[in-house]
Amino acid sequence: MSIKERYAVKQLSIFLENRKGRLLEVTEALKNADINIRALAMAESAEFGILRLVVNNPELARNILSSGGFTVRLQDVFAVEVDDTPGSFCGVVRALSNADVNIDYTYAFVGGSHKAVLVFRVPEELLEKALVAVRDAGLGLVAPQFFYR
Amino acid sequence: MWNSIEGAPREAMEALQARRLRDMVSRVHHLVPFYRERFREAGVSPADIVSVSDLARLPFTTKQDLRDHYPFGLFAAPLSQVVRIHSSSGTTGKPTVVGYTAHDLDVWKEVMARTFRMAGVGPGDVVHNAYGYGLFTGGLGFHYGAEAVGAAIIPSGGGFTKRQLLLMKDFGATVLCCTPSFALHLSEVAREEGYSIREDFRIRAGFFGAEPASEGLRAAVRDAWGIEYHETYGLSEIIGPGVAASCPHGRLHINEDHFLPEVIDPATGQPLPYGEEGELVLTTVSKQALPIIRYRTRDITCLHPEPCPCGRTLISMESVKGRSDDMLIVNGVNVFPSQVEHVLTKVEGLTPNYVIVLEKKGVLDRLEVWVEVDERTFDDGIGALEGLKKRLESEMLNELYINVRVKLVEPKTLERSMGKAQRIVDKREVKTAS
């Protein structure tokens, strides 16, 4: 099993116009399908936004949203668990930077027992390199099973 | 009056028209394979065309024909005799090309001189020309006409509203040439900039065309500037501006010694009697490089032959009431929905689901294209989507010659907000002239 197969996490990206009630429609569709959102981030421009979600069942969520008329894509991201202390984020960014990996975007959430989970999106072709760099720096990559439950 | 022919008796005019028509028909039959073929299909030969009443026996020419023979296939003069080429945006990507010999430019100058004389423009006048210069026929058409009557021309071109106002004031412009909506826009900006229109400007007359204008818009321009409003009508395929211009009595006289007008039923192609509304069809009888037989203008109007109190006997047409096709006029520029579609289909994976939304932004038109983003085009990144939007906007500018605002929308949004599959939403108050 390659490092990519082991650690790539499926993230949903949903294209949303900046329109009243649209976010509610997405979240309702997920709620009705009993899908749990494990992590989320929202990117926005003047006219539209992109909602990024890591959920417990990405394939199901994609099908639900797609048939609900949303523009959805599934993409690979990866997650790193760090101590919830100053400098932890910096450590991961440094590892990626040293490996010449650009970060497209990142978001984070606080986990249990003084841990934090960082989610990174890097260019598709650099994903493997990024995973290796993080692993070789002795940092804790998070397996997707952590989210898919 | 610039030329006595404008007030000639009917018989003299018809005799001149018949002579020119015969010459032109045998010329195109001899020189342009397209027309030879069309005549053959219609079972008509040049010998059948004796008088103007025989016009209806000739086949029509359409914008599509011009496009199909891009760029010079319909020219009746060798390129060595062509001294000017203009072009306008075409319906599906390819522009329409028009050429002029030196003689054609003289004809154009002549009809534009007649246009300016409608307001008595001549030496001592300063003509501020805010029509676009370049491939568009508006700028240069008015330019040479103003020079022909001996006025001083300011070749301002479009845009830069504040600078235009400064020049109009400082150069003491007496005549304004632009689209009616730009004339109104200029007056609004003048007011915002603190000008007193009556005291700071010497404008006494204006020549407004290239887009339909309602009576409301015309009155607003007239009142804002306190000037004589002269409407102009023209199209590049025929010559550019100069096909018709309105006299002080408000009648839009067609220069029918050069352009023979007919009004037809757009559905059947049958000629309609004077006074009945239909599609204007024009035949050029004096042009050399690109003579056109029975050109379907798609403009809806009607013709009135009664002589005018201004002394002109030239037939007059009513202000264009609308179009018999889906062409849109946006700030004076012709736009076809098919051009928008053409740009969209060039971008790989883009859904051809779009809506064209036309709105008034102030007094000027704003064209928005709403494009649905589907899963093939959607790239997870704001930058990629903004890039798509920018690319589409720049391609649209390239193709349509106007600034278009592209808005990326979710699938199904269009049907949701429009109720049904409707490609064009025109929210402008002034849609057609009436």
Side-chain angles (χ1 to χ4, degrees):
Chain A
M1 202 181 195
S2 76
I3 190 165
K4 228 158 121 174
E5 285 162 338
R6 270 174 77 175
Y7 292 111
V9 175
K10 294 286 176 204
Q11 171 200 260
L12 293 163
S13 298
I14 304 144
F15 175 76
L16 291 175
E17 281 170 54
N18 291 354
R19 189 152 51 79
K20 195 180 157 195
R22 202 58 185 146
L23 191 55
L24 181 62
E25 288 167 36
V26 179
T27 50
E28 269 180 347
L30 294 173
K31 181 193 113 189
N32 293 340
D34 206 22
I35 285 164
N36 190 22
I37 299 171
R38 304 299 316 277
L40 75 86
M42 183 90 192
E44 52 159 40
S45 80
E47 285 176 7
F48 50 82
I50 299 173
L51 177 64
R52 292 162 181 147
L53 301 175
V54 180
V55 300
N56 62 339
N57 190 341
E59 294 293 343
L60 176 65
R62 197 251 301 262
N63 293 341
I64 296 281
L65 292 175
S66 204
S67 55
F70 292 94
T71 302
V72 190
R73 263 181 79 154
L74 266 186
Q75 287 182 305
D76 286 336
V77 295
F78 66 91
V80 186
E81 190 181 54
V82 294
D83 287 334
D84 192 0
T85 54
S88 296
F89 182 50
C90 175
V92 186
V93 174
R94 184 184 298 121
L96 293 170
S97 173
N98 288 344
D100 275 335
V101 174
N102 292 325
I103 300 167
D104 284 340
Y105 54 83
T106 173
Y107 50 99
F109 56 98
V110 177
S113 53
H114 306 292
K115 293 284 186 184
V117 176
L118 310 169
V119 177
F120 290 91
R121 163 79 185 166
V122 299
E124 201 80 51
E125 66 279 8
L126 296 178
L127 178 59
E128 186 151 358
K129 195 177 172 190
L131 290 170
V132 170
V134 171
R135 186 193 60 197
D136 292 353
L139 297 161
L141 285 167
V142 179
Q145 289 72 25
F146 170 81
F147 297 98
Y148 306 163
R149 65 181 184 196
Chain B
M1 241 181 272
W2 178 255
N3 189 320
S4 60
I5 191 72
E6 297 172 74
R10 200 71 228 153
E11 309 75 57
M13 175 60 77
E14 283 179 6
L16 175 65
Q17 288 175 329
R19 181 167 57 75
R20 286 184 171 169
L21 177 65
R22 285 194 299 267
D23 287 352
M24 188 274 205
V25 165
S26 59
R27 187 178 156 82
V28 299
H29 184 264
H30 182 62
L31 295 171
V32 186
F34 164 81
Y35 282 116
R36 199 154 50 235
E37 182 60 18
R38 282 290 169 91
F39 285 11
R40 199 185 54 76
E41 284 166 16
V44 60
S45 85
D48 298 328
I49 308 303
V50 179
S51 73
V52 174
S53 58
D54 296 318
L55 200 53
R57 304 181 61 176
L58 295 168
F60 293 115
T61 307
T62 64
K63 200 175 182 85
Q64 183 65 32
D65 293 325
L66 285 173
R67 199 177 76 78
D68 289 346
H69 295 84
Y70 174 88
F72 306 141
L74 295 188
F75 281 20
L79 209 53
S80 59
Q81 287 174 24
V82 171
V83 296
R84 176 96 64 79
I85 295 169
H86 279 281
S87 163
S88 71
S89 58
T91 50
T92 50
K94 273 187 193 163
T96 20
V97 181
V98 295
Y100 303 78
T101 63
H103 164 84
D104 294 341
L105 289 184
D106 285 342
V107 170
W108 198 7
K109 213 183 298 174
E110 156 76 21
V111 292
M112 285 312 297
R114 292 184 195 175
T115 298
F116 277 112
R117 293 304 286 176
M118 293 287 186
V121 178
D125 274 304
V126 177
V127 176
H128 184 92
N129 186 14
Y131 283 108
Y133 279 73
L135 285 172
F136 174 56
T137 50
L140 289 173
F142 280 90
H143 184 98
Y144 288 106
E147 287 189 354
V149 297
I153 177 105
I154 305 168
S156 166
F160 307 104
T161 310
K162 289 176 192 172
R163 191 185 65 192
Q164 299 219 18
L165 288 165
L166 182 79
L167 301 186
M168 283 167 67
K169 173 176 175 283
D170 292 349
F171 296 177
T174 56
V175 177
L176 174 62
C177 304
C178 60
T179 62
S181 42
F182 191 69
L184 194 57
H185 176 66
L186 274 171
S187 72
E188 289 182 352
V189 175
R191 241 175 259 125
E192 282 163 26
E193 292 293 300
Y195 289 102
S196 159
I197 290 186
R198 296 294 194 279
E199 284 164 29
D200 290 332
F201 298 101
R202 296 176 54 215
I203 301 284
R204 64 174 180 84
F207 292 88
F208 306 110
E211 68 180 9
S214 66
E215 184 43 48
L217 176 57
R218 280 178 269 175
V221 171
R222 214 180 281 130
D223 295 348
W225 287 100
I227 56 173
E228 249 179 68
Y229 186 113
H230 292 272
E231 182 176 352
T232 63
Y233 175 82
L235 55 169
S236 66
E237 295 88 333
I238 297 303
I239 197 154
V243 173
S246 70
C247 70
H249 296 270
R251 286 188 45 187
L252 194 48
H253 294 284
I254 299 176
N255 288 306
E256 59 172 315
D257 50 330
H258 295 288
F259 319 112
L260 307 190
E262 299 168 87
V263 162
I264 61 157
D265 178 335
T268 64
Q270 287 306 306
L272 296 173
Y274 290 140
E276 273 190 41
E277 196 173 290
E279 180 182 328
L280 180 67
V281 169
L282 293 167
T283 299
T284 69
V285 288
S286 54
K287 271 172 69 198
Q288 294 177 335
L290 185 65
I292 292 205
I293 289 184
R294 301 191 85 201
Y295 187 69
R296 300 277 305 249
T297 67
R298 305 289 173 186
D299 286 324
I300 303 295
T301 184
C302 53
L303 296 173
H304 297 288
E306 302 79 21
C308 183
C310 75
R312 288 177 183 81
T313 51
L314 293 175
I315 197 165
S316 58
M317 63 184 271
E318 289 187 8
S319 298
V320 172
K321 286 196 168 64
R323 299 274 308 168
S324 69
D325 62 6
D326 57 359
M327 187 178 90
L328 303 165
I329 300 179
V330 183
N331 294 324
V333 178
N334 300 347
V335 173
F336 288 90
S338 55
Q339 292 175 289
V340 171
E341 196 159 328
H342 180 73
V343 171
L344 296 179
T345 52
K346 280 203 293 194
V347 176
E348 206 180 335
L350 208 57
T351 53
N353 262 347
Y354 67 92
V355 165
I356 295 171
V357 182
L358 277 156
E359 279 178 303
K360 281 277 171 197
K361 174 100 178 149
V363 295
L364 299 178
D365 299 331
R366 184 167 81 178
L367 191 147
E368 282 190 3
V369 176
W370 295 11
V371 187
E372 287 188 353
V373 171
D374 74 1
E375 282 162 23
R376 284 164 305 162
T377 21
F378 174 42
D379 191 326
D380 163 46
I382 294 286
L385 289 172
E386 291 284 4
L388 173 66
K389 183 180 140 92
K390 291 263 149 51
R391 178 175 160 207
L392 286 174
E393 286 178 343
S394 110
E395 294 264 351
M396 296 269 178
L397 177 63
N398 220 357
E399 185 80 35
L400 278 60
Y401 307 165
I402 55 166
N403 283 306
V404 172
R405 214 173 146 267
V406 170
K407 190 173 163 190
L408 301 177
V409 299
E410 289 177 42
K412 315 284 187 314
T413 311
L414 304 177
E415 290 140 65
R416 271 200 302 272
S417 54
M418 311 306 169
K420 58 177 175 152
Q422 192 187 347
R423 284 270 178 249
I424 299 157
V425 180
D426 200 336
K427 298 184 189 169
R428 298 177 296 184
E429 185 203 346
V430 182
K431 193 171 174 183
T432 55
S434 59

